[in-house]
Amino acid sequence: MGILIKNGIVVSATESKQLDVLLAGETIAWVGTGISEAGHEVVDATGLLVMPGGIDVHTHLDMPFGGTTSADDYTTGTQAAAVGGTTTVIDFALQSQGHTMREALDVWRAKSKDKACVDFSLHMAVTDLGPGDGAQGLREMEEMVAEGISSFKLFMAYPGVLMIDDGLMFRVMQKAAALNALCCVHAENGSAIDIVVAQMIAEGKTEPHYHALSRSPKAEAEATHRAIALADMAGAAVYIVHVSNEDSLAALKFMQGRGAKALGETCPQYLVLSIEDQMPGKGWDEAKYVFTPPLREKWNQEPLWGALRDGSLAVVSTDHCPFRFADQKELGRGDFRKIPNGGPGVENRLQILWHFGVNAGRITPERFVALCATNPARIFGMEKQKGSIAAGLDADIVLWNPKAEYTISAATQCMATDYSMFDGWKVVGNAAKVYSRGELVVNNVAQPGRFLGETGRGRFVKREANGGGLA
Ligand code: URP
Ligand code: ZN
Ligand code: ZN
């Protein structure tokens, strides 16, 4: 006996069609028309869109950062993801300087053990290749790829914590090229930003607003160009995370035009929030929006939407890095350097992108599926398992109600923060039901906002090294 989803419109990255979908156990058994109902549980999806479960390739769960730890652990974070229609996340294991990647991997596997509620994978953030010529670290990169961690994160910001220099970055990129792995880069010129930050603090500019002003779009654009140029020299595929502004986009497009193997993502916050609206310099409340890169002037938003349409940006992730306002953001009152950087968003990615993207006519439903599921699966080496509705793939499915009215609210959300970046916003379009490997884990119609599966059911996804899916 399977689950037969009938009468819905199946939306893929390229087309929308009325088709039936049969789930058998954990996988999709059949997609087509005229499948017999006999022996199956029939789910009537009339009026609903049948889409692949969302894949959020950029989350920070249970991550020590800025003197505290991100508020969502693997349980609350993955439950919030599921409630919002996301059935797979890729989180970051952070190597500490002086320690090995293996140690980082052990720590992050322990964090997720018996806690993850949907499937997940990990990127490895490299901060150290070990003593001497770095042979030990380069060997570890081989081990990581063999274990299904086919993407490496490189930070050009956060000096003294996560930032690496260009030499180390280049060596990692050369090795990644040899392994056909993908380099994900946080592109901001951390050294220059640190000087501006110190000067602002010396001038008494300590409010959250100055966090945004201290991190110029030019510092991001410069680093974006440098990262892609170095990756190109090394022959590596590179993926620029959280592109926030038009200058950086121009650098990305320029290098793509020159044939570099360069991909990029943006996040909902950069598409719908701005300095003018959220961080005008009116007080402490703005600490809620302290993340890096910071919010930008509003005029940057339409170029980002344009890039999502024309393909120069291939993915929308969240950079979900939640901290509570009451006690965690509070650490930086009076000194913006001490505000833990990050914001909550894993629960709302699909709602925001649908409402402001599809409903507003900026992107099609098919592009929505490409940006939220199909491209992430392809780029990050799991397209044989996830990201599309096709026989043989995991039965990760969202039944999406494009007409559902929903008010985003900190009071009712699953994320463990005491605020929402979109609090009180009314959106149209929401996940009605969510299946993770064939199991109904969310029913937002009958039991809104509740995760129905067992805690710890989420599995680690081993990913292929496929050079970002680029030829
Ligand atoms: O502010 C942010 N984005 N925090 C998480 C770490 C990062 O830079 O992605
Ligand atoms: Zn970052
Ligand atoms: Zn991040």
Side-chain angles (χ1 to χ4, degrees):
M1 156 138 170
I3 298 174
L4 181 59
I5 301 171
K6 289 197 72 159
N7 308 320
I9 306 289
V10 174
V11 186
S12 76
T14 51
E15 60 179 0
S16 299
K17 263 189 182 168
Q18 180 154 354
L19 294 168
D20 299 340
V21 181
L22 179 64
L23 318 184
E26 297 194 344
T27 53
I28 298 168
W30 182 265
V31 184
T33 50
I35 306 170
S36 164
E37 293 182 11
H40 301 309
E41 173 193 338
V42 175
V43 175
D44 182 10
T46 302
L48 303 177
L49 306 178
V50 185
M51 308 198 289
I55 300 176
D56 189 342
V57 301
H58 190 156
T59 65
H60 301 278
L61 304 176
D62 199 0
M63 184 179 85
F65 199 51
T68 182
T69 301
S70 59
D72 276 309
D73 64 8
Y74 268 78
T75 298
T76 60
T78 55
Q79 291 191 353
V83 164
T86 290
T87 49
T88 309
V89 302
I90 311 184
D91 206 60
F92 292 87
L94 303 186
Q95 181 196 22
S96 305
Q97 278 163 9
H99 294 265
T100 62
M101 293 176 218
R102 172 67 52 197
E103 288 172 273
L105 182 56
D106 289 347
V107 168
W108 258 266
R109 292 303 298 264
K111 284 175 191 285
S112 54
K113 190 168 178 335
D114 301 329
K115 296 194 88 172
C117 296
V118 296
D119 292 350
F120 67 98
S121 190
L122 288 165
H123 313 276
M124 177 57 64
V126 182
T127 58
D128 196 344
L129 286 177
D133 62 0
Q136 175 204 311
L138 298 175
R139 245 190 337 269
E140 279 204 293
M141 286 178 67
E142 293 172 15
E143 289 172 26
M144 294 299 125
V145 169
E147 292 177 36
I149 297 174
S150 57
S151 45
F152 295 94
K153 177 74 176 283
L154 304 168
F155 284 93
M156 300 169 82
Y158 309 126
V161 189
L162 293 168
M163 184 172 130
I164 58 174
D165 65 24
D166 291 351
L168 177 50
M169 184 160 72
F170 187 63
R171 296 203 71 193
V172 174
M173 286 172 162
Q174 284 182 321
K175 186 68 182 178
L179 294 169
N180 212 21
L182 183 62
C183 294
C184 303
V185 180
H186 175 132
E188 278 188 305
N189 187 320
S191 307
I193 287 170
D194 245 24
I195 291 171
V196 179
V197 166
Q199 288 165 347
M200 284 186 165
I201 295 291
E203 289 166 19
K205 296 173 175 168
T206 60
E207 292 291 301
H209 174 65
Y210 292 105
H211 171 269
L213 298 192
S214 68
R215 309 182 82 92
S216 164
K218 292 187 177 60
E220 187 185 330
E222 181 279 324
T224 300
H225 181 273
R226 181 161 36 107
I228 302 172
L230 291 174
D232 199 32
M233 277 171 66
V238 64
Y239 175 93
I240 306 297
V241 301
H242 49 44
V243 174
S244 73
N245 72 89
E246 207 275 339
D247 275 17
S248 303
L249 198 52
L252 173 65
K253 287 184 179 185
F254 174 78
M255 291 304 284
Q256 285 172 336
R258 291 288 174 103
K261 292 187 279 184
L263 298 155
E265 67 171 24
T266 191
C267 313
Q269 52 270 33
Y270 304 115
L271 293 166
V272 299
L273 307 179
S274 64
I275 293 207
E276 293 96 316
D277 288 345
Q278 277 72 34
M279 297 206 89
K282 297 214 170 117
W284 174 242
D285 211 54
E286 296 174 13
K288 291 174 180 170
Y289 306 98
V290 167
F291 39 74
T292 54
L295 289 177
R296 302 302 189 184
E297 290 173 10
K298 218 174 191 153
W299 65 267
N300 290 281
Q301 292 172 359
E302 283 311 324
L304 292 175
W305 283 108
L308 292 177
R309 271 193 301 277
D310 71 25
S312 39
L313 290 176
V315 172
V316 175
S317 73
T318 57
D319 192 10
H320 175 77
C321 189
F323 296 104
R324 291 178 302 275
F325 183 62
D327 60 318
Q328 294 187 295
K329 293 285 183 180
E330 186 67 20
L331 296 169
R333 198 186 270 272
D335 184 345
F336 72 75
R337 293 173 299 184
K338 298 188 180 141
I339 302 172
N341 285 202
V346 73
E347 195 168 337
N348 307 121
R349 178 178 65 130
L350 301 188
Q351 295 160 345
I352 295 287
L353 200 69
W354 186 271
H355 185 81
F356 294 96
V358 180
N359 291 349
R362 290 179 168 117
I363 56 171
T364 63
E366 293 78 17
R367 192 72 193 140
F368 173 89
V369 167
L371 293 164
C372 295
T374 310
N375 289 354
R378 190 191 68 243
I379 291 168
F380 288 93
M382 49 181 165
E383 70 181 328
K384 292 182 191 144
Q385 195 180 338
K386 295 188 181 289
S388 301
I389 297 186
L393 270 63
D394 284 356
D396 292 352
I397 309 259
V398 179
L399 301 187
W400 185 261
N401 183 349
K403 298 214 164 77
E405 295 180 5
Y406 183 76
T407 303
I408 298 173
S409 160
T412 55
Q413 71 188 7
C414 292
M415 297 182 292
T417 47
D418 52 358
Y419 76 98
S420 163
M421 296 197 289
F422 315 107
D423 203 35
W425 289 27
K426 291 183 193 316
V427 290
V428 177
N430 197 18
K433 291 184 178 173
V434 182
Y435 294 85
S436 165
R437 276 184 283 101
E439 181 184 348
L440 180 68
V441 291
V442 174
N443 183 343
N444 277 329
V445 181
Q447 293 158 292
R450 279 197 48 201
F451 183 78
L452 307 174
E454 201 176 307
T455 298
R457 62 173 293 291
R459 288 190 200 140
F460 179 74
V461 180
K462 283 179 84 167
R463 295 179 290 113
E464 282 179 5
N466 68 350
L470 297 166

